[in-house]
Amino acid sequence: MAAVKVINHTPFVPRLPKDVPLPPSPADSTSPPPPVKKKSRKSKTKEKEKVKEGVQGIKRQGEQERGNANEQHESEMPQPEPLKPLTWASLTDSNSNSHPPIFTKDGSHFFSIVRERIKIHSTSSGKVISTLPGPQDDGHQDIITSAILSANNAFQLITVSLDGTIKVWDFLEGILLHTINLEQPIHHVCGHEKIKDYVFVATAKAKKKGSSDGNEQPKSNRSAKASSEESCIILRVSLKPQNPASGAKWHKSSQITPVGKTRYTAGLAVSASGEWLIAVAGHKAYVAQMSALKSGFTKYVSPDALTCLAVHPLEDYFATGDAKGVVRLWYCLNQARPVVANVEKRSQTSELHWHAHAVSSVAFTTNGAYLLSGGEEATLVIWQLHSGKKEFVPRVGSPIKNVVVSRGSAAEEEYLLGLADASFAFISSATLKLSRVFSRIKLDSATSSAWASSSSATPLAVHSLSSTLVLPSSHPSSLQTYSPSSSTLVAELEVSPSNRVSRQEEKMLEPSRVERVVISPSGEWMATIDRREGDESFRGEIYLKIWWWDKKSAFWILNTRVDRPHGLNKVTSMSFSPSDENWLVTTGEDRNVKTWRIRNTKDKKGNVEVSWTSRSSFGFRLEMPRDSAWSPDGSLLAVALDGSVALYDSISNALHFTIVCSECPKISSVRFIGHHGQYIAVLGGPNLVVCDIINRSVRWHRRHNHPYVTLVPHPYQDTFVTIHRSASDTTIELVVYSISSSTPLLSQTLPFGIRNLVWYPVPNHFARSRKFSLVGVTHAFGVVLLGHDINITDEASLSTKALQKGLAVPKGSLFEEMFGVPALTDVSHNAVSSTIDTSLPWKSSETGSVFDAPAYLMPPMESLFEPLINGFLKLRLKENMDEEHQSGIQGVADEMTAEPMDIEEPAFIEMGKVSKDDVLDTFIPFFKDITGLPDYPFHSDTRPVALTLPTTPSSHHAKPALRTVASQKPNPNVSPKKQASTPSVPAKTGKKRSRHSLV
C-alpha cells in the first residue's frame, strides 16, 4: 500500500451517552404538575412512540453535527474548479429496422429510417454515404414512420412522420423541396405512377388541434409506438401546396379527400394497375376503388390479426401475413362491389403456412413468380406461387423484420433483409445464400429487453490492445467486439454455444446468459461468467471462462473453463489484479472470496501449457461479499460486505482491518479513488460514503433522494463519477465528486437510463487531465460515449452531395469483352477535331446545362424527349428512301467491278461514326482468311491464302449474296495458279453471320 501523508484530517469521534443533553427538570417549570391519571394502553403506546422519536432526533442531531464537522473540514481543503458538462454520442441506431428500407430506381443505394433521420447506404459496401437533414435543420421533428420514392421524379423521396408533416426531398442534393402539414400523426404513405400528384396516407386522429402559424414547425406529442386500438383515417392528399408563394416553412395541401376509417394500419398500398387502394388493419383488409373513393372501403374479414401487406407487381391481387404465421393471398380486387358501402365480405383466398409465429414481412419478386416471407424464426421462406413449393434460407442471424426485393438494373436480383439486431443481410436469388451482411453494433432493444434478467448485470469492458469495446450481442449467450474509431463491428464471440431457436407458444426459451466480463490491465486475458437458470427439469449451470488474446488472429481463444466456481450460487463480482501476477478474484453468494492464478505445466515433449487454477478461498464472518476492488498498486484487496469494507493483503490474504459504514447498511459497490489508493468510495442504496483507509475513518457522507446505480473513478485524479436513478425511468442524473468535498463538481441529467458504465481510455489523452471519458450501455440496449472530448464520426454530418455520381462507364459489347476495346474506336488517339452541327436546335453546351440543373428544377422528361430527338433526327420521305436504296445497290455493283484504288484515309475514326456492328463486320473477312492458313489446325485444305485486312470500315457493306462464287467473274489476265490460290471458305453462300457465331 502506498504511503500517503494525511494533512489537516479530523478523525470522526462518535458521541457518547454522557454527551447527550438531558431534558429540562420538572422543578424548573412554573406551571403546576398535572393530575396523575391511570395510564391506558393507548397512552403507553404513545409514550413509546415519543421515546423512539426522541432517539431518532438524537441520531439526526448527531449526524447533523458530524456533517457540520465534515463541512468545516472540507472548507479547510482547497476546492477544485467545477467541470464543464459532458457531451455524449450514440454508437447505435435505435429502431433502425422498424421500417422497410427503400431502394433507388437503379438499385445502387437504399434508404433506411432511423428515428427522425433518413440514412442513404451504398448497396455494394453498406456504408452510410449520406444523411438527409434532421430535426436541427429542416427535417422532421418526430419519428419518421414511412417513405416512398416520388412517382414524378425518381430522384425525389417522400417521407411522413408522427409530427404530422409530409416532406418531399431531393436526395441527390439533400434539399427539402416543400412540406405539407396535415396536423395529424401519419403512420403510412403510398403512391402510384398513374397518380403522380397525389399520395395516400394513414393518419391518426390528433388529441388536440392547436392553431399554429405558418412560420412555426408543428410538433406531435404522440409516442412512437401506436396503440393497436387506435383508429386511422385514410386520406388522399395532393402534393401541391395551397399557397406556394407564401414563403412559409410548411404549407397546407391544395386538396385532401377522405377515403375511409380503419383500425391502426399495418400496411397501405396501391395495386399494380393503379385501380385499387388496399389497407390492412386488425382482422380486416380494406379495399377501395380509385374511380369511386367517395364510396368508401369494402371490408374483407381475416381469421387472425394481419401484420403486413404486399401487392403483386403485375396482377391485381395482394398477400398478407398474420399473427398466427399464415401467409394469405387475396383475390378480391376484381369482384363486384356490394350495393351497400362499408360492409364486410368474405373473399377467395389461398393459404401458405410454415411460420410458427407472426409473419413480420412479405414481398413479391420482380416477376411476381415468388413470394418471400420472414419472421421471428430468423428464416427466409421463398414460396413458388404456381406450385406451392417452398425453399428456405435458415439462420440469417436474427429475427427478420423486413424483406425488400432489389428492383434495380443489376443482372442478378437480390433480397435485402432488415434484421432485428440492426443488421442488413443481402441474399442472392441465384444461390439463395447470404452474399454480404452489413452491421454496426448488433443490439436489439426488444429482444434484449425480453431476454434481460432483472437480477443479472450487463457485460461491458474495454480492450486496450485493440482499442475495442466488448459488448453484449443480440443473443445473450454471445459477445461482440466493436471499434469506435472505425465504426465497424470487428468480431462476434459465442461464449456459450446455444441452440438459437424461437420460443414455444408464448413462453421464451431460457437461454444461457453472459452476465459479467472483465479484461486484465495488460489486455492478454479476459474472464467471463455465463449462467443458465434452472427449473423443475433442469438443475442450472454456471461457468467461469478465461480467454487468451491471440495477437496473430486478433481473436479471443478459450484457455480455461471452471464449472460452478461458487457452486450453484451467483457470482457477485469479478476483477483482475493490476500487478504483474495477473491474479483474478471472484466473489459469490456462497459467502466466499476466491482468487485464481496462472499455472504453467510441461507435457512430455517439453511444451509449456498455460492454464488457470484456484489459488485461495476465504470469507468474513459468514457475511455475503457483494463487490471487490484492487488498490492501484495491487497490494490491497477491498471486499464490500453487508455494512463494512474489509481490506486484505493481496499476497497472504491476511485481514488488515475493516471500515464500518453505518450509513450504508447494505453496501453494493466499492472502488479505490485516485492513483495513490488512499481513499475508497462506497455505494449502498441512496448513500455515498468516502473513507480514508490510512486514518480508518469516514471522510464524508452524502445521501440522495434516489438510489445510486454505479460508480466509476478517474484513473489519474482524485475524482469519480456516479450515476443514480431519477424519478423518470427515461432519464438519469450524472454527478461528479471529489474526495475533498461532498459538494458535486458537476451535476447533469441525461435523457437515457444506464445499465453499466466503465472508463473509456481516449488515445493521445493527457494523463493528468481532469476530463472524463466513459462508455455505457443504456436501458434500451444502446451504446453511448460520454466525456469532454468525444470525437466520433457522426454519420448525420455527411454531405448529401456525395451521393452524386460521375459519368457512368458504358457497358462493353460482346467483342470488347472478348478482345478488348478496338483501336478504331479509340477517341483518345483521334487527331481529327469534331465539328458541331449548327443545324441542331440546341448546342451541346446548352443541352448539357439543362441536365446540370437540380432534379426538382428540371422539366418533365416527356416534355424534353420529343423536341430533343426531333432536333437530332432528320425526317426522311419515302421517295428519297427508295432513291437512296437503288443508288446504294448500284454503288455496290460498281465497287465489285472496279479496280482497287489507293485512297488516303485518316488513321482513326470518330467513335460516334463507327457502330459496333461495323467493327464486327470489318473483322469478319480477317477471321475467314485465318481459317484458310496452312497452320490452321481445324482446316484440311493446305492451299496458300492471301491474308488481307482492311484498314478502315466501310460505311456501306455489300450483301452476302454479292460475295458468292457465282457473282464473281474470273479475270483472264490472271494466271491459273493465281486463280487456284483463291480461298474457297469465304466463298460460301448463306446468311450474314451473327455476332454469336464468332464465339
Side-chain angles (χ1 to χ4, degrees):
M1 180 179 63
V4 180
K5 185 178 180 179
V6 182
I7 302 175
N8 296 330
H9 176 71
T10 303
F12 169 67
V13 180
R15 300 183 64 187
L16 299 176
K18 65 180 181 179
D19 298 330
V20 179
L22 297 175
S25 175
D28 299 336
S29 180
T30 57
S31 59
V36 180
K37 296 182 180 180
K38 189 177 181 180
K39 297 181 179 180
S40 62
R41 293 184 179 179
K42 293 183 179 181
S43 59
K44 291 181 180 179
T45 305
K46 291 181 180 180
E47 288 181 0
K48 290 182 180 179
E49 292 177 356
K50 289 181 180 180
V51 172
K52 290 182 180 179
E53 291 177 0
V55 173
Q56 292 177 359
I58 293 173
K59 289 183 178 180
R60 284 194 297 268
Q61 184 179 359
E63 291 177 359
Q64 184 177 2
E65 292 177 359
R66 184 173 57 189
N68 295 334
N70 291 338
E71 292 177 0
Q72 182 180 1
H73 172 66
E74 292 168 6
S75 62
E76 297 175 357
M77 297 188 65
Q79 300 296 327
E81 297 180 0
L83 294 174
K84 295 181 180 180
L86 275 66
T87 59
W88 59 278
S90 178
L91 301 181
T92 53
D93 298 332
S94 59
N95 301 325
S96 60
N97 285 336
S98 300
H99 310 283
I102 305 100
F103 277 97
T104 56
K105 192 173 183 180
D106 60 352
S108 60
H109 301 84
F110 66 92
F111 306 89
S112 66
I113 300 175
V114 182
R115 295 189 64 84
E116 301 91 359
R117 294 184 179 272
I118 296 287
K119 293 187 176 182
I120 307 177
H121 302 254
S122 172
T123 304
S124 58
S125 64
K127 294 183 178 180
V128 178
I129 63 172
S130 179
T131 303
L132 295 184
Q136 293 78 10
D137 303 317
D138 298 329
H140 289 283
Q141 301 299 315
D142 209 333
I143 296 175
I144 300 175
T145 54
S146 184
I148 59 171
L149 289 179
S150 174
N152 288 332
N153 195 325
F155 300 106
Q156 293 180 1
L157 186 72
I158 302 174
T159 59
V160 298
S161 169
L162 293 179
D163 60 6
T165 59
I166 304 174
K167 293 183 181 291
V168 182
W169 305 85
D170 178 5
F171 59 81
L172 289 181
E173 299 287 341
I175 300 174
L176 176 64
L177 304 184
H178 60 270
T179 301
I180 302 295
N181 179 24
L182 298 183
E183 298 182 353
Q184 295 179 0
I186 308 174
H187 297 297
H188 289 90
V189 63
C190 69
H192 196 270
E193 58 184 5
K194 292 186 178 180
I195 316 170
K196 295 185 177 181
D197 295 329
Y198 293 88
V199 292
F200 293 90
V201 296
T203 64
K205 186 178 180 181
K207 292 183 178 180
K208 292 183 180 180
K209 284 190 176 182
S211 60
S212 56
D213 189 13
N215 294 326
E216 295 180 358
Q217 179 69 26
K219 294 184 179 180
S220 175
N221 296 326
R222 303 182 67 87
S223 60
K225 187 176 180 180
S227 173
S228 60
E229 300 297 330
E230 187 178 27
S231 61
C232 291
I233 301 176
I234 309 300
L235 305 175
R236 187 184 70 172
V237 181
S238 174
L239 295 178
K240 295 181 178 180
Q242 195 175 49
N243 188 11
S246 62
K249 291 184 178 180
W250 54 268
H251 309 271
K252 291 187 177 181
S253 175
S254 59
Q255 184 182 0
I256 299 177
T257 304
V259 181
K261 184 178 179 181
T262 67
R263 291 293 186 96
Y264 174 70
T265 54
L268 184 68
V270 180
S271 64
S273 62
E275 299 178 357
W276 303 91
L277 175 65
I278 308 155
V280 292
H283 289 72
K284 298 173 185 177
Y286 299 80
V287 176
Q289 196 169 6
M290 292 293 184
S291 59
L293 291 177
K294 294 183 180 180
S295 301
F297 284 112
T298 302
K299 305 174 185 178
Y300 296 93
V301 182
S302 169
D304 299 293
L306 302 177
T307 56
C308 51
L309 169 68
V311 295
H312 196 277
L314 303 176
E315 302 178 15
D316 280 344
Y317 69 90
F318 60 94
T320 61
D322 62 23
K324 295 295 184 181
V326 178
V327 177
R328 187 172 284 104
L329 304 177
W330 301 73
Y331 306 97
C332 58
L333 299 184
N334 295 324
Q335 294 182 1
R337 292 183 55 83
V339 179
V340 182
N342 295 324
V343 298
E344 297 182 0
K345 294 182 62 179
R346 294 285 180 178
S347 171
Q348 179 184 358
T349 61
S350 59
E351 295 183 358
L352 304 172
H353 193 188
W354 177 86
H355 296 276
H357 309 294
V359 181
S360 58
S361 180
V362 290
F364 286 95
T365 57
T366 306
N367 57 7
Y370 295 90
L371 178 67
L372 314 176
S373 64
E376 187 179 327
E377 301 85 1
T379 299
L380 178 67
V381 186
I382 300 99
W383 304 89
Q384 192 175 26
L385 296 179
H386 73 277
S387 64
K389 296 181 179 179
K390 53 185 176 293
E391 295 182 273
F392 303 95
V393 182
R395 296 180 294 277
V396 296
S398 185
I400 300 174
K401 281 193 172 183
N402 300 296
V403 181
V404 181
V405 178
S406 174
R407 304 179 188 274
S409 58
E412 180 180 310
E413 194 175 63
E414 288 186 316
Y415 311 141
L416 174 58
L417 306 182
L419 304 181
D421 60 358
S423 301
F424 292 103
F426 281 86
I427 294 179
S428 171
S429 60
T431 61
L432 294 183
K433 293 182 179 180
L434 288 171
S435 57
R436 55 194 183 277
V437 178
F438 306 131
S439 59
R440 292 184 62 189
I441 296 180
K442 292 185 176 182
L443 276 179
D444 174 26
S445 59
T447 306
S448 301
S449 300
W451 275 331
S453 176
S454 59
S455 60
S456 61
T458 302
L460 177 62
V462 179
H463 187 218
S464 58
L465 294 182
S466 60
S467 299
T468 57
L469 303 177
V470 179
L471 305 166
S473 186
S474 57
H475 195 273
S477 64
S478 300
L479 295 175
Q480 57 182 331
T481 55
Y482 178 79
S483 174
S485 59
S486 61
S487 299
T488 55
L489 183 66
V490 179
E492 187 171 5
L493 177 65
E494 190 174 27
V495 177
S496 177
S498 303
N499 186 13
R500 304 191 181 189
V501 297
S502 58
R503 55 190 170 89
Q504 295 179 351
E505 299 300 333
E506 298 299 327
K507 184 180 179 181
M508 296 288 294
L509 295 180
E510 182 62 30
S512 179
R513 312 171 191 271
V514 181
E515 295 187 343
R516 298 184 183 274
V517 56
V518 291
I519 298 178
S520 64
S522 62
E524 296 181 355
W525 300 97
M526 179 178 70
T528 60
I529 295 292
D530 60 280
R531 184 174 66 94
R532 183 181 177 186
E533 296 181 358
D535 51 18
E536 297 82 4
S537 59
F538 183 72
R539 190 178 181 184
E541 54 188 15
I542 181 170
Y543 299 103
L544 167 64
K545 297 178 181 178
I546 302 178
W547 310 74
W548 174 70
W549 175 254
D550 187 5
K551 296 182 180 179
K552 294 183 179 179
S553 61
F555 197 73
W556 294 103
I557 299 176
L558 181 62
N559 178 268
T560 304
R561 191 188 80 175
V562 180
D563 298 354
R564 300 176 181 176
H566 290 265
L568 294 176
N569 301 280
K570 289 179 57 178
V571 176
T572 56
S573 70
M574 181 171 56
S575 59
F576 276 100
S577 170
S579 59
D580 298 334
E581 287 81 1
N582 277 333
W583 290 334
L584 174 68
V585 62
T586 59
T587 60
E589 292 183 350
D590 61 345
R591 306 179 188 275
N592 288 325
V593 179
K594 294 186 178 182
T595 58
W596 312 83
R597 64 175 179 85
I598 298 177
R599 178 180 60 183
N600 297 325
T601 57
K602 291 185 178 181
D603 56 7
K604 296 180 180 180
K605 297 182 180 180
N607 300 324
V608 178
E609 294 182 357
V610 179
S611 61
W612 286 74
T613 185
S614 177
R615 177 176 173 267
S616 62
S617 177
F618 55 92
F620 181 82
R621 298 180 182 176
L622 297 179
E623 294 187 15
M624 182 183 298
R626 291 184 173 86
D627 197 11
S628 61
W630 297 89
S631 61
D633 58 356
S635 60
L636 286 179
L637 173 63
V639 179
L641 303 171
D642 290 338
S644 60
V645 177
L647 284 92
Y648 295 89
D649 183 83
S650 61
I651 299 177
S652 61
N653 293 340
L655 177 64
H656 284 294
F657 55 87
T658 60
I659 299 178
V660 178
C661 300
S662 59
E663 296 84 357
C664 296
K666 186 176 291 187
I667 299 175
S668 60
S669 179
V670 59
R671 292 291 183 272
F672 280 87
I673 307 299
H675 60 285
H676 295 298
Q678 179 183 353
Y679 305 98
I680 59 174
V682 177
L683 292 181
N687 298 291
L688 169 63
V689 179
V690 175
C691 303
D692 189 339
I693 62 176
I694 293 182
N695 295 278
R696 305 181 186 181
S697 61
V698 175
R699 189 173 186 84
W700 54 263
H701 164 244
R702 185 178 181 87
R703 182 180 179 87
H704 202 271
N705 297 329
H706 303 282
Y708 287 90
V709 178
T710 185
L711 180 148
V712 180
H714 195 292
Y716 311 112
Q717 301 292 328
D718 292 338
T719 56
F720 58 95
V721 61
T722 61
I723 298 292
H724 60 79
R725 298 184 179 92
S726 61
S728 175
D729 294 336
T730 58
T731 60
I732 60 167
E733 187 174 352
L734 182 145
V735 184
V736 178
Y737 294 99
S738 173
I739 53 98
S740 60
S741 173
S742 61
T743 303
L745 301 178
L746 171 66
S747 181
Q748 183 178 356
T749 302
L750 300 177
F752 45 79
I754 290 291
R755 292 179 177 268
N756 197 357
L757 190 71
V758 296
W759 181 266
Y760 176 69
V762 179
N764 302 325
H765 196 276
F766 184 56
R768 301 302 175 185
S769 175
R770 298 175 63 237
K771 298 179 180 179
F772 278 83
S773 178
L774 308 166
V775 60
V777 179
T778 65
H779 280 173
F781 284 90
V783 182
V784 293
L785 289 179
L786 301 97
H788 294 97
D789 294 328
I790 299 298
N791 188 13
I792 298 296
T793 303
D794 188 8
E795 295 177 346
S797 62
L798 295 175
S799 175
T800 308
K801 294 184 179 180
L803 187 63
Q804 295 181 353
K805 299 177 292 185
L807 296 176
V809 180
K811 188 178 180 180
S813 62
L814 179 62
F815 178 84
E816 294 174 356
E817 293 178 0
M818 295 172 57
F819 304 103
V821 180
L824 295 176
T825 59
D826 192 356
V827 184
S828 61
H829 299 285
N830 192 358
V832 181
S833 61
S834 60
T835 59
I836 301 176
D837 190 0
T838 58
S839 63
L840 296 178
W842 297 335
K843 295 182 180 180
S844 61
S845 58
E846 297 175 355
T847 306
S849 63
V850 173
F851 293 97
D852 288 340
Y856 61 93
L857 295 179
M858 291 180 59
M861 191 57 64
E862 55 266 17
S863 62
L864 288 175
F865 180 79
E866 189 171 352
L868 181 63
I869 297 301
N870 291 338
F872 288 131
L873 301 180
K874 185 179 180 181
L875 183 63
R876 301 175 63 185
L877 301 177
K878 184 177 180 181
E879 294 79 3
N880 298 336
M881 293 176 61
D882 296 339
E883 293 177 0
E884 292 177 1
H885 182 67
Q886 295 296 333
S887 62
I889 297 177
Q890 184 65 27
V892 172
D894 295 341
E895 289 178 3
M896 297 299 298
T897 57
E899 295 182 358
M901 298 176 62
D902 295 335
I903 301 175
E904 185 178 357
E905 297 184 0
F908 298 98
I909 306 297
E910 292 186 49
M911 185 169 60
K913 295 184 179 181
V914 180
S915 64
K916 297 176 181 178
D917 293 335
D918 293 338
V919 176
L920 294 175
D921 294 340
T922 301
F923 284 94
I924 286 176
F926 172 66
F927 292 144
K928 290 181 178 180
D929 293 341
I930 289 179
T931 58
L933 291 176
D935 55 350
Y936 188 67
F938 302 102
H939 196 272
S940 59
D941 193 357
T942 59
R943 290 176 293 179
V945 179
L947 180 63
T948 59
L949 176 63
T951 58
T952 58
S954 176
S955 59
H956 298 283
H957 297 282
K959 293 184 178 181
L962 299 178
R963 293 202 295 263
T964 59
V965 178
S967 62
Q968 297 180 4
K969 297 181 180 180
N971 192 350
N973 298 326
V974 182
S975 60
K977 292 183 179 181
K978 291 183 179 181
Q979 292 181 6
S981 64
T982 303
S984 59
V985 175
K988 280 186 176 182
T989 61
K991 296 183 179 180
K992 182 179 178 180
R993 300 181 69 181
S994 64
R995 184 181 302 180
H996 300 285
S997 62
L998 298 177
V999 182

